[in-house]
Amino acid sequence: MSSPDTRFKFVEQTLRKYRDITLKALLEIIPSREPKKYLYNLMPVYPKRLGKGLRTALCLATCKAFGGTINSALNSAIAIELFHNGFLIHDDIQDESLFRRKAPTLYAEQGVGIAINVGNAMNLFSLRLLMENRAHLGPNLTWQIFTETEEMLRQTLEGQALELGWIKDNVCELSELDYLRLSLKKTSWYTCIYPCRVGALIATGGAISPEHFYHFGWYLGSAFQIQDDLLNLLGEYEKYGKEINGDIQEGKRTLMLIHLLNHCSAGEKAKLKRFLSLPRRDRFLEDVEWVHRLMIKYGSIEYARSCARKFAGAALHEFEIAYGDLPDSENKQFILEMILYMIERDH
Amino acid sequence: MSSPDTRFKFVEQTLRKYRDITLKALLEIIPSREPKKYLYNLMPVYPKRLGKGLRTALCLATCKAFGGTINSALNSAIAIELFHNGFLIHDDIQDESLFRRKAPTLYAEQGVGIAINVGNAMNLFSLRLLMENRAHLGPNLTWQIFTETEEMLRQTLEGQALELGWIKDNVCELSELDYLRLSLKKTSWYTCIYPCRVGALIATGGAISPEHFYHFGWYLGSAFQIQDDLLNLLGEYEKYGKEINGDIQEGKRTLMLIHLLNHCSAGEKAKLKRFLSLPRRDRFLEDVEWVHRLMIKYGSIEYARSCARKFAGAALHEFEIAYGDLPDSENKQFILEMILYMIERDH
C-alpha cells in the first residue's frame, strides 16, 4: 500500500489551492479598524493556523464541476470558512479543549468571554458576505443561499445541543442510528451538504432540487466524522493538532464509545458510566487509557473503521447520483478522490 | 414627589401591553420538536422571566407613531426580543454573572456549553423571523431591515469586545468620552437606535434617512445604561433581579468607576488598580464595599446621576427632531415619557 502522501497528492494539492485562495480573500475582508486587539486581530487566528479547507474546497470544486466559476462562489466559500472557524471557537469552549491546530485554543489564550464574542463575530461576518452576494448573484439566488444557510445553522445547533446534552445527562443507551442522526446534524450538514449545495446553486443559477447532495453529504460527512474521532484516539498530536484521547476525556459520544457501551460486560459498563458521570477534570489519565484499551478489546475501533468504510462506499454510490451526469473534469475527479481521502487521511 | 408607580403608570402599562403581545408571539414560534430538553425548552427561559420589554416597545410604538401597524412590525419585535435575550445569555457567561431576572443565569443552571448554544439559537431564530418578513413586507424592505440588523450586530459585538478587553487588560486610563463611545456601541445601538429605526422603516415603507434616530437613540441608550449601572450599586435585588454590586465585582468600566479612577488619590488609585487586576473570584466583598464607599466619597455616583439626567435632556431635545413632526398620539406620548422613565425607574 503506498503512503497517503503519494496516493492523495492530487487531493491535497487541490485542497491547498482552494484553501489558499479562500484564506487570502478571507484575510482581506477583516477590518483594520478598532477594536483590533480584542476582536479583529483575533478573527484570523484559527484560519491562519491552516485547517485542511475541506468545506471551502467542496463548495468551490462543486461550483466548478457544475460549470460555475471560482469568483462567483468565493464570497460564499469565505463565509463557509468563517462559519466553520466560528463553530470551532465556540466548540472548544463547550468541550473544554486545550489545543486546536497545534496551538492553544482561543479561549485558553484570550478567556471565555472574548472567545465567545469572536465566534459571534465570525458568524456575523459570514452573514455579511452572504448579503454581499446580492451585487453579483442577484436577489433571488442570494435569498436561496440565505435559506440554505438558515437550515444549515439550525441543523448544526440542534446537533450541538444533542451532543452536549448527552454528555451533560450522561446518556449511555445509544444506538448506531442515534449516532448517525447526530453526525447528520452536527457534522454532515455544514461540512458537506451545505458547501456542495451552495456551490451547485451558484453554478446553476439556483436550479438544484432541495434533496440534491443530501445523501451524498450525509454519508461523506459521517465517514469524515468517524475518521476524525479515530484520529483522536490513534493519531499523532504533531499531525492531528488536538489532544490525543481528548474525546474520551470529554465523554464525547463517538461511534466507538457507543459500540463499547453496547458490547462490554455489565461490570465494565457500570464502571464506564461512573467514569463518564465525573466532571471532566476528575477523569484521570489512567481511566482514559483504560477506556481506550477496552475499545481495542471489544473491537470498537475496528468496528468504527469498518463503518467509516461503509459510509465512504455509500458516498461513492451517491456520488454517481449527485455528480454522475456532469462531464468529466479535474474538479469532479477531486470530489471523487475526496471520498477515500476522508477515511484514509492522517490529519 | 409622587412615587414612580403613579408617575409612570401609563409608561408601565404600555410596556406591559407590548411585552405581552411580543412574548405570546415569541412563544408560538419556538419549535415543539426535539431536541427539547437541551435547546428548544431553554430558549423561552429568559423571555418568560419577563424583562421590561423596552426594546420591543420602542419598536412597536415607533411603528405606530409613524402610522404603521403592530402586525407589520411584530416579527421584527420578536426578533429584537430574541436578539436581546440571546445577548443576555452570552453576556452572563462573559461576566460570570450568577443571577438574571431574580433567578440563576442560564449557564449557571445548564452549563456553559449548552448556554452558548442556546444563545446562538436565539440569534438564528431572530434572523429567521427577519427572513419571514419577506412575505408581508416585500423583498426591499426586508433587505433594508437586514442591513440595519447587520450594522446593529456589528456595533454590539465591537462594544462587547471593548468592554471585555478593558476588563481583561485592566485598562484604567479612560475618559467620559470613552464611556460614551462604549455605550453607543454596546447598548444604545441595539436598545434604542435599531428598534426605533426598524419600527419607522416598516411604517414608512423604508423612507427613513440613515441618520434618523442616531442621536436620539444614542442619548436615550446612554441614559438607560447609566441608570442600569446605578441600580446595580443602589437597587434592591428584589426589584433589580441581579447581584447588587456585581458590576464592581466584575470590574465593569461603568461611568462611576471611570469617574472614581480619575478623581481618587494616587494611593487609592494604585489600590483600586490592584483590586481590579485580581481574578473575579479573588475580589473580596469587603474590597467591593470599599470601592462602593469611595464612589460615594468622591461623588462618582452623584456625577453619574447628573450625566444620566443630562443625556435624558439631550434625548428630549432629539425627540423633537426624531418624532416632532408626527401627529400627537398615545404612542408618541409613550416614547416621550420613556425618556424620563429610563432614568427614574427602580428596576
Side-chain angles (χ1 to χ4, degrees), chain A residues 55-79:
Chain A
R55 296 159 186 86
T56 46
L58 277 178
C59 175
L60 294 173
T62 300
C63 182
K64 286 278 277 180
F66 274 76
T69 64
I70 297 299
N71 257 351
S72 62
L74 190 54
N75 255 359
S76 310
I78 311 168

PDB file of all heavy atoms in Angstrom, chain A residues 55-79:
ATOM      1  N   ARG A  55     -14.191  22.099   3.537  1.00  0.00           N
ATOM      2  CA  ARG A  55     -15.521  22.643   3.247  1.00  0.00           C
ATOM      3  C   ARG A  55     -15.484  23.646   2.094  1.00  0.00           C
ATOM      4  O   ARG A  55     -16.339  23.605   1.203  1.00  0.00           O
ATOM      5  CB  ARG A  55     -16.088  23.263   4.524  1.00  0.00           C
ATOM      6  CG  ARG A  55     -16.309  22.211   5.603  1.00  0.00           C
ATOM      7  CD  ARG A  55     -16.381  22.785   7.003  1.00  0.00           C
ATOM      8  NE  ARG A  55     -16.443  21.713   7.999  1.00  0.00           N
ATOM      9  CZ  ARG A  55     -15.373  21.106   8.519  1.00  0.00           C
ATOM     10  NH1 ARG A  55     -14.143  21.453   8.139  1.00  0.00           N
ATOM     11  NH2 ARG A  55     -15.508  20.137   9.404  1.00  0.00           N
ATOM     12  N   THR A  56     -14.516  24.543   2.142  1.00  0.00           N
ATOM     13  CA  THR A  56     -14.417  25.513   1.048  1.00  0.00           C
ATOM     14  C   THR A  56     -14.082  24.798  -0.254  1.00  0.00           C
ATOM     15  O   THR A  56     -14.593  25.168  -1.306  1.00  0.00           O
ATOM     16  CB  THR A  56     -13.338  26.563   1.337  1.00  0.00           C
ATOM     17  OG1 THR A  56     -12.174  25.897   1.810  1.00  0.00           O
ATOM     18  CG2 THR A  56     -13.802  27.533   2.389  1.00  0.00           C
ATOM     19  N   ALA A  57     -13.228  23.772  -0.167  1.00  0.00           N
ATOM     20  CA  ALA A  57     -12.869  23.048  -1.390  1.00  0.00           C
ATOM     21  C   ALA A  57     -14.090  22.349  -1.979  1.00  0.00           C
ATOM     22  O   ALA A  57     -14.296  22.359  -3.195  1.00  0.00           O
ATOM     23  CB  ALA A  57     -11.756  22.042  -1.095  1.00  0.00           C
ATOM     24  N   LEU A  58     -14.913  21.736  -1.117  1.00  0.00           N
ATOM     25  CA  LEU A  58     -16.138  21.089  -1.621  1.00  0.00           C
ATOM     26  C   LEU A  58     -17.044  22.101  -2.308  1.00  0.00           C
ATOM     27  O   LEU A  58     -17.633  21.820  -3.352  1.00  0.00           O
ATOM     28  CB  LEU A  58     -16.905  20.418  -0.473  1.00  0.00           C
ATOM     29  CG  LEU A  58     -16.465  19.025  -0.050  1.00  0.00           C
ATOM     30  CD1 LEU A  58     -17.307  18.539   1.123  1.00  0.00           C
ATOM     31  CD2 LEU A  58     -16.579  18.037  -1.219  1.00  0.00           C
ATOM     32  N   CYS A  59     -17.145  23.284  -1.745  1.00  0.00           N
ATOM     33  CA  CYS A  59     -18.005  24.324  -2.323  1.00  0.00           C
ATOM     34  C   CYS A  59     -17.452  24.796  -3.675  1.00  0.00           C
ATOM     35  O   CYS A  59     -18.170  24.801  -4.683  1.00  0.00           O
ATOM     36  CB  CYS A  59     -18.115  25.492  -1.335  1.00  0.00           C
ATOM     37  SG  CYS A  59     -19.038  26.890  -1.992  1.00  0.00           S
ATOM     38  N   LEU A  60     -16.178  25.151  -3.684  1.00  0.00           N
ATOM     39  CA  LEU A  60     -15.594  25.709  -4.914  1.00  0.00           C
ATOM     40  C   LEU A  60     -15.493  24.646  -6.008  1.00  0.00           C
ATOM     41  O   LEU A  60     -15.794  24.915  -7.179  1.00  0.00           O
ATOM     42  CB  LEU A  60     -14.215  26.317  -4.612  1.00  0.00           C
ATOM     43  CG  LEU A  60     -14.249  27.555  -3.695  1.00  0.00           C
ATOM     44  CD1 LEU A  60     -12.833  27.984  -3.306  1.00  0.00           C
ATOM     45  CD2 LEU A  60     -14.995  28.717  -4.364  1.00  0.00           C
ATOM     46  N   ALA A  61     -15.095  23.422  -5.632  1.00  0.00           N
ATOM     47  CA  ALA A  61     -14.957  22.364  -6.643  1.00  0.00           C
ATOM     48  C   ALA A  61     -16.324  21.969  -7.199  1.00  0.00           C
ATOM     49  O   ALA A  61     -16.457  21.705  -8.404  1.00  0.00           O
ATOM     50  CB  ALA A  61     -14.250  21.150  -6.037  1.00  0.00           C
ATOM     51  N   THR A  62     -17.344  21.921  -6.341  1.00  0.00           N
ATOM     52  CA  THR A  62     -18.686  21.599  -6.829  1.00  0.00           C
ATOM     53  C   THR A  62     -19.174  22.692  -7.778  1.00  0.00           C
ATOM     54  O   THR A  62     -19.765  22.403  -8.827  1.00  0.00           O
ATOM     55  CB  THR A  62     -19.668  21.415  -5.650  1.00  0.00           C
ATOM     56  OG1 THR A  62     -19.188  20.354  -4.827  1.00  0.00           O
ATOM     57  CG2 THR A  62     -21.064  21.085  -6.134  1.00  0.00           C
ATOM     58  N   CYS A  63     -18.919  23.932  -7.419  1.00  0.00           N
ATOM     59  CA  CYS A  63     -19.321  25.039  -8.292  1.00  0.00           C
ATOM     60  C   CYS A  63     -18.668  24.883  -9.670  1.00  0.00           C
ATOM     61  O   CYS A  63     -19.339  24.955 -10.707  1.00  0.00           O
ATOM     62  CB  CYS A  63     -18.946  26.371  -7.636  1.00  0.00           C
ATOM     63  SG  CYS A  63     -19.457  27.795  -8.612  1.00  0.00           S
ATOM     64  N   LYS A  64     -17.357  24.616  -9.671  1.00  0.00           N
ATOM     65  CA  LYS A  64     -16.634  24.438 -10.944  1.00  0.00           C
ATOM     66  C   LYS A  64     -17.158  23.205 -11.694  1.00  0.00           C
ATOM     67  O   LYS A  64     -17.379  23.254 -12.914  1.00  0.00           O
ATOM     68  CB  LYS A  64     -15.134  24.280 -10.680  1.00  0.00           C
ATOM     69  CG  LYS A  64     -14.412  25.559 -10.295  1.00  0.00           C
ATOM     70  CD  LYS A  64     -14.041  26.417 -11.505  1.00  0.00           C
ATOM     71  CE  LYS A  64     -12.738  25.928 -12.149  1.00  0.00           C
ATOM     72  NZ  LYS A  64     -12.395  26.754 -13.318  1.00  0.00           N
ATOM     73  N   ALA A  65     -17.337  22.096 -10.982  1.00  0.00           N
ATOM     74  CA  ALA A  65     -17.789  20.866 -11.640  1.00  0.00           C
ATOM     75  C   ALA A  65     -19.163  21.056 -12.291  1.00  0.00           C
ATOM     76  O   ALA A  65     -19.462  20.444 -13.309  1.00  0.00           O
ATOM     77  CB  ALA A  65     -17.830  19.717 -10.625  1.00  0.00           C
ATOM     78  N   PHE A  66     -19.976  21.918 -11.699  1.00  0.00           N
ATOM     79  CA  PHE A  66     -21.306  22.202 -12.260  1.00  0.00           C
ATOM     80  C   PHE A  66     -21.275  23.334 -13.292  1.00  0.00           C
ATOM     81  O   PHE A  66     -22.316  23.821 -13.721  1.00  0.00           O
ATOM     82  CB  PHE A  66     -22.306  22.533 -11.142  1.00  0.00           C
ATOM     83  CG  PHE A  66     -22.953  21.315 -10.532  1.00  0.00           C
ATOM     84  CD1 PHE A  66     -22.257  20.506  -9.641  1.00  0.00           C
ATOM     85  CD2 PHE A  66     -24.257  20.949 -10.863  1.00  0.00           C
ATOM     86  CE1 PHE A  66     -22.838  19.381  -9.081  1.00  0.00           C
ATOM     87  CE2 PHE A  66     -24.853  19.819 -10.310  1.00  0.00           C
ATOM     88  CZ  PHE A  66     -24.140  19.030  -9.416  1.00  0.00           C
ATOM     89  N   GLY A  67     -20.057  23.757 -13.646  1.00  0.00           N
ATOM     90  CA  GLY A  67     -19.952  24.744 -14.721  1.00  0.00           C
ATOM     91  C   GLY A  67     -19.857  26.186 -14.267  1.00  0.00           C
ATOM     92  O   GLY A  67     -19.910  27.102 -15.090  1.00  0.00           O
ATOM     93  N   GLY A  68     -19.698  26.413 -12.969  1.00  0.00           N
ATOM     94  CA  GLY A  68     -19.574  27.786 -12.466  1.00  0.00           C
ATOM     95  C   GLY A  68     -18.129  28.231 -12.368  1.00  0.00           C
ATOM     96  O   GLY A  68     -17.208  27.502 -12.749  1.00  0.00           O
ATOM     97  N   THR A  69     -17.941  29.441 -11.821  1.00  0.00           N
ATOM     98  CA  THR A  69     -16.589  29.985 -11.673  1.00  0.00           C
ATOM     99  C   THR A  69     -16.237  30.126 -10.191  1.00  0.00           C
ATOM    100  O   THR A  69     -17.121  30.231  -9.338  1.00  0.00           O
ATOM    101  CB  THR A  69     -16.491  31.385 -12.301  1.00  0.00           C
ATOM    102  OG1 THR A  69     -17.365  32.276 -11.567  1.00  0.00           O
ATOM    103  CG2 THR A  69     -16.905  31.366 -13.763  1.00  0.00           C
ATOM    104  N   ILE A  70     -14.930  30.125  -9.935  1.00  0.00           N
ATOM    105  CA  ILE A  70     -14.448  30.330  -8.565  1.00  0.00           C
ATOM    106  C   ILE A  70     -14.923  31.683  -8.046  1.00  0.00           C
ATOM    107  O   ILE A  70     -15.395  31.808  -6.917  1.00  0.00           O
ATOM    108  CB  ILE A  70     -12.901  30.283  -8.538  1.00  0.00           C
ATOM    109  CG1 ILE A  70     -12.403  28.911  -8.977  1.00  0.00           C
ATOM    110  CG2 ILE A  70     -12.359  30.621  -7.146  1.00  0.00           C
ATOM    111  CD1 ILE A  70     -12.844  27.791  -8.109  1.00  0.00           C
ATOM    112  N   ASN A  71     -14.793  32.697  -8.876  1.00  0.00           N
ATOM    113  CA  ASN A  71     -15.133  34.047  -8.434  1.00  0.00           C
ATOM    114  C   ASN A  71     -16.573  34.170  -7.942  1.00  0.00           C
ATOM    115  O   ASN A  71     -16.832  34.854  -6.952  1.00  0.00           O
ATOM    116  CB  ASN A  71     -14.920  35.040  -9.576  1.00  0.00           C
ATOM    117  CG  ASN A  71     -13.628  35.809  -9.350  1.00  0.00           C
ATOM    118  OD1 ASN A  71     -13.029  35.696  -8.280  1.00  0.00           O
ATOM    119  ND2 ASN A  71     -13.202  36.561 -10.346  1.00  0.00           N
ATOM    120  N   SER A  72     -17.480  33.489  -8.638  1.00  0.00           N
ATOM    121  CA  SER A  72     -18.888  33.629  -8.270  1.00  0.00           C
ATOM    122  C   SER A  72     -19.178  32.985  -6.912  1.00  0.00           C
ATOM    123  O   SER A  72     -20.137  33.357  -6.237  1.00  0.00           O
ATOM    124  CB  SER A  72     -19.774  33.011  -9.348  1.00  0.00           C
ATOM    125  OG  SER A  72     -19.495  31.621  -9.463  1.00  0.00           O
ATOM    126  N   ALA A  73     -18.359  32.013  -6.508  1.00  0.00           N
ATOM    127  CA  ALA A  73     -18.618  31.299  -5.244  1.00  0.00           C
ATOM    128  C   ALA A  73     -17.657  31.702  -4.127  1.00  0.00           C
ATOM    129  O   ALA A  73     -17.760  31.175  -3.014  1.00  0.00           O
ATOM    130  CB  ALA A  73     -18.541  29.793  -5.478  1.00  0.00           C
ATOM    131  N   LEU A  74     -16.762  32.638  -4.419  1.00  0.00           N
ATOM    132  CA  LEU A  74     -15.705  32.929  -3.442  1.00  0.00           C
ATOM    133  C   LEU A  74     -16.261  33.517  -2.144  1.00  0.00           C
ATOM    134  O   LEU A  74     -15.880  33.087  -1.046  1.00  0.00           O
ATOM    135  CB  LEU A  74     -14.647  33.854  -4.061  1.00  0.00           C
ATOM    136  CG  LEU A  74     -13.377  34.038  -3.233  1.00  0.00           C
ATOM    137  CD1 LEU A  74     -12.737  32.707  -2.874  1.00  0.00           C
ATOM    138  CD2 LEU A  74     -12.373  34.924  -3.963  1.00  0.00           C
ATOM    139  N   ASN A  75     -17.164  34.494  -2.263  1.00  0.00           N
ATOM    140  CA  ASN A  75     -17.792  35.064  -1.064  1.00  0.00           C
ATOM    141  C   ASN A  75     -18.398  33.980  -0.185  1.00  0.00           C
ATOM    142  O   ASN A  75     -18.235  33.989   1.039  1.00  0.00           O
ATOM    143  CB  ASN A  75     -18.940  35.990  -1.490  1.00  0.00           C
ATOM    144  CG  ASN A  75     -18.572  37.443  -1.339  1.00  0.00           C
ATOM    145  OD1 ASN A  75     -17.471  37.759  -0.908  1.00  0.00           O
ATOM    146  ND2 ASN A  75     -19.490  38.313  -1.702  1.00  0.00           N
ATOM    147  N   SER A  76     -19.106  33.067  -0.819  1.00  0.00           N
ATOM    148  CA  SER A  76     -19.780  32.006  -0.058  1.00  0.00           C
ATOM    149  C   SER A  76     -18.759  31.055   0.554  1.00  0.00           C
ATOM    150  O   SER A  76     -18.958  30.558   1.672  1.00  0.00           O
ATOM    151  CB  SER A  76     -20.749  31.248  -0.965  1.00  0.00           C
ATOM    152  OG  SER A  76     -21.570  32.164  -1.662  1.00  0.00           O
ATOM    153  N   ALA A  77     -17.670  30.804  -0.159  1.00  0.00           N
ATOM    154  CA  ALA A  77     -16.623  29.933   0.387  1.00  0.00           C
ATOM    155  C   ALA A  77     -15.970  30.571   1.618  1.00  0.00           C
ATOM    156  O   ALA A  77     -15.700  29.886   2.611  1.00  0.00           O
ATOM    157  CB  ALA A  77     -15.572  29.635  -0.685  1.00  0.00           C
ATOM    158  N   ILE A  78     -15.735  31.872   1.551  1.00  0.00           N
ATOM    159  CA  ILE A  78     -15.177  32.553   2.743  1.00  0.00           C
ATOM    160  C   ILE A  78     -16.186  32.457   3.889  1.00  0.00           C
ATOM    161  O   ILE A  78     -15.810  32.213   5.041  1.00  0.00           O
ATOM    162  CB  ILE A  78     -14.878  34.039   2.473  1.00  0.00           C
ATOM    163  CG1 ILE A  78     -14.087  34.233   1.180  1.00  0.00           C
ATOM    164  CG2 ILE A  78     -14.085  34.630   3.638  1.00  0.00           C
ATOM    165  CD1 ILE A  78     -14.024  35.710   0.747  1.00  0.00           C
ATOM    166  N   ALA A  79     -17.457  32.651   3.571  1.00  0.00           N
ATOM    167  CA  ALA A  79     -18.494  32.562   4.616  1.00  0.00           C
ATOM    168  C   ALA A  79     -18.467  31.179   5.265  1.00  0.00           C
ATOM    169  O   ALA A  79     -18.533  31.061   6.494  1.00  0.00           O
ATOM    170  CB  ALA A  79     -19.868  32.852   4.022  1.00  0.00           C
TER     171      ALA A  79
END
